[in-house]
Amino acid sequence: MSAVSDRLPTFPWDKLEPYKKTAAAHPDGIVDLSVGTPVDPVPELIQKALVDAADSPGYPTVWGTPALRDAITGWLERRLGAREVTHRHVLPIVGSKELVAWLPTQLGLGPGDKVAYPRLAYPTYEVGARLARADYEVYDDPRKLDPANLKLLWLNSPSNPTGKVLSKDELTGIVAWAREHGVLLVSDECYLELGWEADPVSVLHPDVNGGSYDGILAVHSLSKRSNLAGYRAAFVAGDPAVLGPLLEIRKHGGMMTSAPTQAAAVAALGDDEHVHVQRERYAARRTLLREALLHHGFRIEHSEASLYLWATRDESCWTTVSHLADLGILVAPGDFYGEAGKNFVRVAFTATDERVRTAAARLTR
């Protein structure tokens, strides 16, 4: 058991506990902006779909119901501009983090193989490489990587933690580079519907991939856009030559989404109105927090999309974390996402309206 756990880095969130205690001691309570977890209600039409499917005594399929595959392919075409997407191009997954962590292993990568991901990135990309015993490397521009032994290239646009969005031209160039060198490109696009100062584009768009899904996958989640983090509903789409074998591996591993969750996902993907409503909530919270942080002396970089503000006072991130904890506000230190974030903090705007107003008031006193 320890042989596997020994491959993993120290769980970073444990380091925040002392600061969380400080923030919680504030007379008016803690405002926790450290984790981007949804706090708003699950839309009623999704709850109803879940309840209506509650009598599901049989095993669900790993590939998902035909209704779910129809909902995914329809959403990809309607919302992302993808073309000629069939059931063979999609695969439900048990939340996007599960795929990120286990994809290198399921692809058969191991010692000598290399996984690359952005210099500032979600920590699970590294975890996935470590679990597979593969090598890993960070990049600023993936086209400058040495392609030798590079088997898996992660993109993340919009980015967690920075909110940076890659342009259509950048994506097109990266897709072409990956294909030229025979590198599987997997784009983590979980925040794609949450663009504020940019309009994020998927690698599944024909203007990016030239009308072919060869060598590319895109990962999408319902956690943020539909408040379904507790449901573990997500999917991966793209090259059938990769998804076919992946499906077989996941069948053997029993990696299936529950039947009620599949029914809920069908409802979520078929309705755009609840996404619009949730976007408006987040937009208002983002505006309030952004103005308050600027007033307090912060500089905000990127942050044109996603659920976070990437903010700095040009000091150690832990100094900033401590300062904000004294105000009863908990944020994530930037070095959780790589050494390049050592002077930044990630501020989530996923708290309730009341808590966001409270944070803004504390920052503008």
Side-chain angles (χ1 to χ4, degrees):
M1 290 295 294
S2 63
V4 176
S5 62
D6 286 348
R7 298 179 209 162
L8 303 179
T10 302
F11 191 64
W13 294 95
D14 293 343
K15 294 168 64 177
L16 260 188
E17 281 304 311
Y19 302 94
K20 187 173 184 178
K21 290 179 181 178
T22 298
H26 191 280
D28 193 26
I30 186 174
V31 179
D32 192 343
L33 306 179
S34 64
V35 182
T37 187
V39 298
D40 299 302
V42 173
E44 287 187 12
L45 83 161
I46 300 175
Q47 293 190 48
K48 183 177 186 302
L50 184 83
V51 171
D52 289 347
D55 186 13
S56 297
Y59 289 113
T61 61
V62 173
W63 198 20
T65 63
L68 177 56
R69 298 197 297 274
D70 282 343
I72 295 172
T73 57
W75 182 85
L76 290 170
E77 294 189 350
R78 184 179 79 252
R79 299 292 290 153
L80 303 191
R83 295 291 179 265
E84 299 181 7
V85 185
T86 72
H87 286 192
R88 295 174 55 249
H89 291 91
V90 300
L91 179 62
I93 53 179
V94 192
S96 57
K97 184 173 184 176
E98 169 262 302
L99 184 87
V100 172
W102 291 108
L103 184 60
T105 298
Q106 292 174 0
L107 291 172
L109 304 190
D113 297 323
K114 189 167 61 180
V115 176
Y117 52 86
R119 187 172 303 280
L120 281 166
Y122 184 49
T124 311
Y125 303 129
E126 177 185 336
V127 167
R130 285 175 176 249
L131 285 170
R133 294 192 178 94
D135 299 327
Y136 49 90
E137 183 176 350
V138 299
Y139 64 79
D140 294 307
D141 181 343
R143 292 168 289 187
K144 295 181 180 178
L145 290 166
D146 180 355
N149 299 318
L150 179 60
K151 300 299 176 62
L152 173 58
L153 172 63
W154 283 106
L155 298 185
N156 181 209
S157 175
S159 163
N160 174 14
T162 69
K164 181 180 179 181
V165 174
L166 294 174
S167 70
K168 185 182 290 185
D169 287 345
E170 287 175 308
L171 289 172
T172 301
I174 295 168
V175 167
W177 181 90
R179 284 174 170 166
E180 177 186 353
H181 296 288
V183 178
L184 177 64
L185 184 153
V186 185
S187 181
D188 181 347
E189 303 176 350
C190 290
Y191 297 92
L192 191 134
E193 289 192 280
L194 296 165
W196 313 112
E197 299 168 9
D199 187 13
V201 179
S202 173
V203 296
L204 301 180
H205 195 287
D207 288 353
V208 172
N209 61 41
S212 167
Y213 301 113
D214 291 351
I216 59 173
L217 299 177
V219 184
H220 284 271
S221 169
L222 278 67
S223 294
K224 308 300 196 275
R225 47 98 69 190
S226 298
N227 299 337
L228 296 188
Y231 283 46
R232 310 316 300 137
F235 59 88
V236 58
D239 191 344
V242 178
L243 293 182
L246 198 59
L247 170 62
E248 294 305 314
I249 292 165
R250 294 172 68 83
K251 283 180 181 178
H252 283 288
M255 304 183 85
M256 58 190 78
T257 305
S258 77
T261 296
Q262 291 190 33
V266 171
L269 290 167
D271 178 73
D272 295 331
E273 178 57 27
H274 78 276
V275 181
H276 175 73
V277 170
Q278 189 60 44
R279 274 183 54 88
E280 291 301 307
R281 290 188 185 121
Y282 284 140
R285 293 167 185 165
R286 178 182 183 273
T287 297
L288 195 60
L289 275 175
R290 186 178 186 279
E291 291 176 354
L293 287 166
L294 292 172
H295 181 275
H296 200 73
F298 281 89
R299 187 178 75 254
I300 295 171
E301 293 191 359
H302 300 304
S303 307
E304 57 258 32
S306 83
L307 291 177
Y308 313 105
L309 293 167
W310 188 239
T312 182
R313 300 203 308 171
D314 295 310
E315 63 188 7
S316 164
C317 59
W318 289 101
T319 300
T320 306
V321 167
S322 177
H323 168 73
L324 292 175
D326 288 339
L327 298 177
I329 301 169
L330 188 68
V331 298
D335 66 3
F336 277 10
Y337 308 95
E339 177 64 20
K342 64 183 181 180
N343 291 333
F344 286 80
V345 293
R346 193 195 72 171
V347 184
F349 42 91
T350 53
T352 63
D353 290 344
E354 183 275 330
R355 288 287 86 186
V356 168
R357 285 194 298 268
T358 297
R362 294 176 188 176
L363 289 166
T364 54
R365 281 177 188 153

